[in-house]
Amino acid sequence: MNDRASALQRLTRDAAAVASATASSLPDETASEDVHPSKAYGGLWSRRDIAHTVEFRPLEPTAVAEAMEYGYLARVQWNAAAGVITLRYQPLGVTVTIQGIGLFDLKERLRQHLVTWIQEQGGDPIQIQAGRQGLGREFIWVQRIRVEEQPATE
């Protein structure tokens, strides 16, 4: 075997060894997508990652879920007194309003592009009470999600 073929064979063997070692060690670090204990949202828990889209999932199973790219998110507004997060996708002419209880952490994660989906949970007071008791300080409840398109102006 000539030197060139021998070097190519070693390079291929070494690359395969590195790839298998990397593949076996990476899943723990890169499998950072998780669900918040409230089941209100899921996302990336590692701050070195960012999500590209966020999906808004309605409570009604027959309703359409929508996903928006973070690249179009121009503004994140927070009304703590009303428990409302407003996301303005100005280039798309879309406003998403999220209303609920304990949404501060969700707002911060949205602002940092760490949320991949948000689930509408409704306003049932019995479920809200049970959630508060079970989760304590980590209680987050998404009562409503509204996606509204603004009419195009010419």
Side-chain angles (χ1 to χ4, degrees), residues 55-59 64-66 116-121 145:
E55 180 182 4
F56 303 101
R57 300 175 179 173
L59 180 62
V64 176
E66 297 226 27
T116 55
W117 59 268
I118 303 171
Q119 173 68 52
E120 190 176 54
Q121 297 170 296
I145 300 173

Side-chain angles (χ1 to χ4, degrees), residues 17-34:
V18 169
S20 67
T22 304
S24 63
S25 66
L26 281 182
D28 292 338
E29 293 178 21
T30 59
S32 60
E33 186 164 8
D34 206 352

